């Protein structure tokens, strides 16, 4: 194994390796994408490359590489394990119509096994299994085999597919590289991707198709490569560690937390988890402030506020207070190569401190109210808990914890029911992109709302477009307006077919079920939704039998039989790539 302990050494080795293969280094850009309002954060090194995938010449040529700071709010609920972070650094390489599969995989393999000296015996890979649109990726399989990866270590996965970035454009299979973490257990002969002891350290995306507006996948004239690999995970692998928090990317932060809390990392499971969350969230917050974000109640600022506040809550669990500034200090020592951190150091520390003060005041006020409303009571009623949460910003988790500690009965289900009625408004306000657009909660709008869930699924089926989703919706008592991503007029037959499907579901008298689960669980179960920072720790998922499953704030009818007859009254264009349907229930 390699001797590298420090993240910067790893990054330099990587960049030099690719420079020796004629790649040019592109900058490590801001966490806030500069020309793309559709996403909140840079989640991969790929973002700034998208415009060059179709043939526009990149000023630095056809072979590029870099290290890119990334934020993945979608992984926030996984933070606490050994290898998922909200902030991490990604090593990237690109071929824009230059070399393709064989060289891409060979370079990746050479870097991991020759440069980093990772043992071949501990490597496994996944390859695209094929589907109706494009075949199994035989070429990648044979390249991996030619490099000495045995068949049992090559698994076929249907999910190994990337893109396109928008509705149309470059896309293709990908091949992921996994590394066996345990030091003292021999890597199994056969690779099981569900075994989390195999950790994904890199992914080569092999863009060989172009998806057109008619859903066809045609071989691309310009074939591209996009590789991404996580610095923290790779550093763990080369140091024989099973926990990214024990690498030099985190250890100064962990040591600082240990010192302040007088608790030992790794001793107690829950406390260890809290320490990881604190370390991760404070690090992410430092970088977000460096890139110009300040805590607020909307968009980027809201994500930042949430990260800081969750860290503070976990601080409370391990018995520390007023710590964000001190812990942030240890982040600077790890990332001395980032000029933006140096330049903004004072501002970063000040913003963290301010937010912590604000949150402490919120909590203090909340406690006073909490004490008042629970005085001489053995139960917390849902209206009171909602008031605490909504008007005083007292976090739900703290309401739960306090009630438990003081043996006060509290029903989370009732609280959530109470929340739901109000949720719609606040969501709409805080999340421009997530609007269910109900004008009121009357019986008529509730029915139409359920009908739009059926409509969305019927559209997906009839138009054979699984990634069709709501682009906007507006419901009044007498009609529903539903916008969705699609780029041509629907035919008469299609409209008929859609109405028929919806009406059949109504006739089937299907019960509508609502579950409160984590966004991750919702995603796992295949629920429709925008999996982003916009969701809280729990979301409501409404299912209509096996037909439709959607994250939604409700309200909905109890059974489809309540809906009557569904009719589409208009189908028109709304904007580029977006169609609009108006529908009624008779
Ligand atoms: P996983 O399935 O393990 O969450 P992924 O499939 O989401 O990973 P990619 O989107 O392929 O990962 O990203 C490329 C690489 O970036 C991964 O191989 C991994 O090394 C790293 N990576 C991705 N997400 C994270 C994260 N949340 N924290 C740390 N590293 C990550
Ligand atoms: Mg992957």
């Amino acid at each position: 194994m390699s001797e590298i302990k420090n993240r910067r050494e790893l990054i330099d080795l990587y960049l030099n390796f690719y420079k020796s293969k004629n790649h040019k280094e592109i900058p490590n850009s801001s966490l806030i994408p500069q020309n793309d309002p559709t996403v909140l954060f840079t989640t991969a090194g790929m973002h700034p490359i998208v415009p060059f995938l179709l043939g526009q010449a990149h000023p630095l040529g056809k072979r590029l590489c870099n290290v890119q700071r990334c934020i993945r709010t979608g992984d926030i609920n996984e933070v606490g394990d050994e290898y998922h972070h909200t902030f991490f650094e990604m090593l990237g390489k690109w071929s824009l119509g230059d070399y393709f599969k064989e060289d891409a995989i060979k370079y990746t393999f050479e870097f991991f096994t020759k440069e980093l000296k990772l043992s071949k015996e501990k490597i496994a890979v996944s390859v695209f299994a094929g589907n109706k649109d494009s075949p199994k990726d035989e070429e990648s399989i044979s390249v991996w085999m030619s490099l000495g990866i045995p068949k049992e270590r090559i698994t076929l996965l249907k999910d190994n597919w990337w893109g396109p970035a928008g509705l149309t454009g470059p896309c293709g299979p990908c091949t992921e590289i996994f590394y066996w973490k345990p030091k003292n257990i021999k890597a199994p002969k056969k690779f099981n991707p569900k075994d989390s002891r195999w950790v994904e350290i890199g992914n080569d995306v092999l863009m060989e198709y172009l998806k057109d507006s008619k859903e066809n996948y045609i071989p691309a004239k310009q074939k591209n490569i996009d590789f991404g690999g996580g610095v923290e995970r790779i550093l763990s692998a080369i140091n024989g560690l099973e926990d990214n928090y024990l690498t030099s990317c985190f250890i100064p932060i962990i040591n600082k937390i240990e010192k302040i809390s007088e608790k030992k990392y790794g001793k107690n499971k829950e406390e260890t988890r809290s320490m990881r969350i604190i370390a991760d969230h404070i690090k992410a917050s430092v970088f977000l402030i460096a890139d110009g974000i300040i805590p607020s109640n909307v968009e980027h600022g809201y994500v930042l506020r949430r990260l800081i506040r969750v860290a503070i809550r976990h601080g409370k669990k391990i018995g520390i207070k007023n710590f964000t500034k001190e812990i942030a200090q240890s982040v600077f020592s790890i990332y001395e190569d980032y000029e933006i951190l140096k330049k903004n150091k004072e501002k970063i520390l000040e913003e963290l401190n301010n937010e912590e003060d604000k949150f402490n005041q919120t909590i203090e006020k909340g406690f006073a109210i909490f004490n008042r409303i629970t005085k001489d009571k053995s139960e917390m009623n849902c209206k009171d808990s909602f008031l605490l949460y909504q008007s005083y910003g007292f976090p739900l988790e703290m309401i739960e914890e306090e009630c438990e500690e003081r043996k006060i009965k509290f029903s989370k289900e009732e609280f959530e029911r109470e929340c739901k009625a109000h949720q719609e408004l606040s969501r709409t306000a805080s999340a421009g992109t997530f609007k269910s657009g109900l004008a009121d909660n009357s019986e008529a709008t509730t029915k139409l709302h359920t009908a739009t869930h059926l409509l969305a699924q019927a559209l997906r089926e009839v138009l054979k477009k699984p990634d069709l989703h709501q682009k906007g919706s507006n419901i009044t008592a007498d009609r529903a307006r539903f916008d969705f991503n699609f780029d041509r007029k629907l035919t008469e037959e299609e409209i008929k077919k859609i109405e028929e499907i919806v009406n059949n579901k109504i006739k089937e008298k299907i019960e509508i079920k609502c579950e409160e689960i984590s966004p991750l669980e919702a995603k796992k179960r295949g629920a429709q939704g925008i999996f982003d920072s916009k969701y809280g720790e729990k979301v409501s998922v409404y299912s209509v039998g096996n037909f439709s499953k959607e994250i939604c704030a409700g309200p909905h009818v109890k059974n489809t039989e309540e809906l009557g007859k569904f009719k589409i009254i208009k189908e028109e264009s709304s904007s580029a790539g977006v169609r609009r349907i108006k529908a009624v229930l008779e």
Side-chain angles (χ1 to χ4, degrees):
M1 259 188 300
S2 138
E3 291 292 309
I4 292 175
K5 297 248 181 294
N6 177 288
R7 52 168 274 288
R8 191 64 232 184
E9 280 176 75
L10 166 62
I11 293 167
D12 288 338
L13 193 76
Y14 176 85
L15 295 176
N16 287 334
F17 174 77
Y18 278 103
K19 282 176 190 169
S20 79
K21 314 262 183 219
N22 296 320
H23 290 63
K24 292 279 184 316
E25 185 182 347
I26 58 170
N28 179 347
S29 46
S30 171
L31 287 170
I32 322 304
Q34 299 305 301
N35 298 310
D36 188 353
T38 62
V39 286
L40 278 185
F41 298 108
T42 300
T43 58
M46 177 71 180
H47 283 248
I49 300 297
V50 173
F52 305 99
L53 296 176
L54 270 171
Q56 181 188 332
H58 191 286
L60 290 176
K62 293 179 172 179
R63 293 178 178 222
L64 308 169
C65 63
N66 83 343
V67 59
Q68 174 63 50
R69 55 188 181 278
C70 300
I71 290 265
R72 287 198 179 178
T73 52
D75 286 347
I76 194 163
N77 290 316
E78 310 204 26
V79 177
D81 70 8
E82 296 87 358
Y83 61 106
H84 280 97
H85 314 300
T86 53
F87 173 92
F88 65 100
E89 292 183 293
M90 192 185 281
L91 302 172
K93 77 156 188 258
W94 294 273
S95 158
L96 299 169
D98 193 349
Y99 61 85
F100 199 52
K101 272 185 205 182
E102 185 175 353
D103 285 335
I105 293 175
K106 283 185 172 164
Y107 287 161
T108 294
F109 189 70
E110 185 183 338
F111 178 70
F112 280 133
T113 57
K114 299 250 164 60
E115 292 289 310
L116 298 183
K117 303 187 181 62
L118 288 179
S119 159
K120 208 152 103 176
E121 314 309 316
K122 292 185 172 191
I123 285 178
V125 301
S126 64
V127 172
F128 179 57
N131 62 20
K132 63 176 188 1
D133 294 318
S134 90
K136 174 167 145 189
D137 187 2
E138 297 283 3
E139 191 183 345
S140 294
I141 298 174
S142 61
V143 178
W144 283 119
M145 288 182 71
S146 79
L147 293 169
I149 301 293
K151 220 170 179 140
E152 311 82 70
R153 287 280 180 84
I154 304 175
T155 200
L156 294 170
L157 295 177
K158 278 218 154 57
D159 291 346
N160 277 26
W161 183 268
W162 181 87
L167 295 176
T168 58
C171 55
C174 65
T175 178
E176 302 165 318
I177 301 92
F178 292 79
Y179 190 73
W180 178 253
K181 286 193 292 183
K183 233 181 180 169
N184 303 320
I185 308 171
K186 208 168 165 251
K189 268 207 165 70
K190 193 166 167 52
F191 170 44
N192 172 8
K194 292 214 174 79
D195 182 339
S196 66
R197 290 174 297 179
W198 289 102
V199 64
E200 183 188 328
I201 54 172
N203 188 2
D204 268 302
V205 179
L206 320 154
M207 291 172 223
E208 55 187 314
Y209 297 100
L210 206 63
K211 186 179 177 184
D212 69 14
S213 58
K214 295 199 181 66
E215 303 285 302
N216 294 320
Y217 291 80
I218 44 179
K221 269 203 211 97
Q222 174 180 317
K223 293 184 167 62
N224 307 306
I225 294 293
D226 159 51
F227 169 84
V231 167
E232 300 75 7
R233 292 185 189 185
I234 297 171
L235 204 57
S236 261
I238 55 187
N239 285 288
L241 298 167
E242 293 180 38
D243 177 353
N244 291 359
Y245 292 86
L246 297 176
T247 67
S248 63
C249 293
F250 279 101
I251 209 70
I253 315 177
I254 294 294
N255 287 342
K256 189 55 117 347
I257 300 172
E258 284 184 311
K259 200 169 148 224
I260 308 177
S261 65
E262 296 177 0
K263 295 226 149 71
K264 187 120 192 69
Y265 180 80
K267 200 169 162 207
N268 168 299
K269 207 168 155 206
E270 273 312 303
E271 286 175 359
T272 298
R273 187 168 167 269
S274 288
M275 288 178 169
R276 288 176 181 159
I277 292 171
I278 295 168
D280 173 84
H281 288 11
I282 295 292
K283 189 199 273 188
S285 302
V286 165
F287 274 94
L288 282 171
I289 300 169
D291 272 335
I293 306 301
I294 52 170
S296 77
N297 283 331
V298 291
E299 304 203 325
H300 307 92
Y302 175 70
V303 173
L304 171 60
R305 169 159 286 167
R306 184 150 172 249
L307 287 167
I308 301 171
R309 293 189 171 197
V310 171
I312 296 170
R313 258 195 18 247
H314 280 277
K316 189 169 175 285
K317 289 184 193 210
I318 58 165
I320 58 176
K321 221 181 148 181
N322 296 324
F323 60 84
T324 56
K325 195 171 158 178
E326 200 177 340
I327 289 172
Q329 296 275 11
S330 55
V331 179
F332 295 94
S333 67
I334 306 169
Y335 297 96
E336 283 180 333
D337 48 333
Y338 277 88
E339 276 304 316
I340 49 150
L341 291 198
K342 268 197 206 120
K343 233 173 51 200
N344 294 295
K345 187 166 178 178
E346 289 315 310
K347 181 184 163 202
I348 293 166
L349 298 175
E350 197 185 309
E351 288 293 348
L352 282 171
N353 222 12
N354 286 347
E355 183 62 16
E356 188 163 10
D357 282 349
K358 259 193 208 148
F359 190 47
N360 284 340
Q361 280 166 21
T362 302
I363 292 177
E364 217 170 284
K365 233 191 247 158
F367 268 123
I369 312 277
F370 187 101
N371 290 336
R372 205 179 68 218
I373 57 186
T374 56
K375 192 162 184 278
D376 303 325
K377 289 210 181 103
S378 59
E379 200 170 335
M380 163 84 94
N381 80 39
C382 62
K383 287 237 163 11
D384 284 345
S385 57
F386 184 71
L387 178 87
L388 249 177
Y389 170 80
Q390 179 79 353
S391 306
Y392 297 95
F394 202 70
L396 171 63
E397 294 74 15
M398 287 183 79
I399 300 178
E400 281 185 287
E401 283 159 18
E402 285 305 315
C403 284
E404 199 181 305
E405 225 165 78
R406 304 174 192 204
K407 307 230 168 352
I408 293 170
K409 225 170 102 192
F410 168 68
S411 161
K412 201 171 160 187
E413 288 75 43
E414 276 176 36
F415 168 86
E416 270 157 1
R417 231 168 286 145
E418 182 69 28
C419 255
K420 223 171 282 161
H422 301 261
Q423 223 170 26
E424 200 52 47
L425 277 174
S426 55
R427 265 214 187 124
T428 313
S430 73
T433 55
F434 189 85
K435 292 194 179 96
S436 71
L438 267 79
D440 63 62
N441 284 346
S442 70
E443 200 185 309
T445 58
T446 304
K447 283 183 186 171
L448 278 162
H449 190 191
T450 305
T452 60
H453 280 217
L454 296 176
L455 168 64
Q457 186 54 30
L459 281 165
R460 271 173 218 122
E461 291 187 0
V462 172
L463 303 177
K464 299 193 178 53
K465 187 169 170 57
D467 68 342
L468 182 143
H469 55 266
Q470 173 180 318
K471 296 291 263 184
S473 145
N474 176 289
I475 298 176
T476 63
D478 48 21
R479 59 110 185 100
R481 198 178 77 197
F482 183 81
D483 296 351
F484 57 96
N485 54 323
F486 197 58
D487 51 12
R488 66 162 170 83
K489 190 159 183 55
L490 272 58
T491 64
E492 292 259 31
E493 293 92 273
E494 284 169 339
I495 292 182
K496 262 215 191 98
K497 188 91 201 60
I498 291 161
E499 288 177 334
E500 199 179 294
I501 292 179
V502 174
N503 283 316
N504 282 339
K505 293 295 154 190
I506 296 174
K507 275 186 213 138
E508 280 173 44
K509 301 188 178 171
I510 308 171
E511 219 182 283
I512 286 109
K513 286 220 178 79
C514 176
E515 293 164 271
E516 308 286 337
I517 50 180
S518 71
L520 181 76
E521 184 59 29
K523 193 176 177 181
K524 270 193 197 144
R525 295 192 203 168
Q528 297 286 332
I530 305 154
F531 291 91
D532 200 326
S533 53
K534 305 292 161 54
Y535 294 128
E537 291 183 3
K538 285 268 160 90
V539 291
S540 306
V541 173
Y542 283 89
S543 324
V544 186
N546 293 328
F547 182 65
S548 144
K549 194 184 275 291
E550 231 178 296
I551 294 186
C552 172
H556 286 278
V557 298
K558 293 216 158 42
N559 192 298
T560 56
E561 70 176 327
E562 294 169 52
L563 300 185
K565 190 163 180 234
F566 176 79
K567 196 167 160 39
I568 293 176
I569 53 170
K570 199 164 195 181
E571 192 278 337
E572 60 190 339
S573 162
S574 157
S575 61
V578 179
R579 304 294 301 179
R580 169 169 291 177
I581 280 182
K582 284 189 185 148
V584 294
L585 289 168
E586 295 175 344

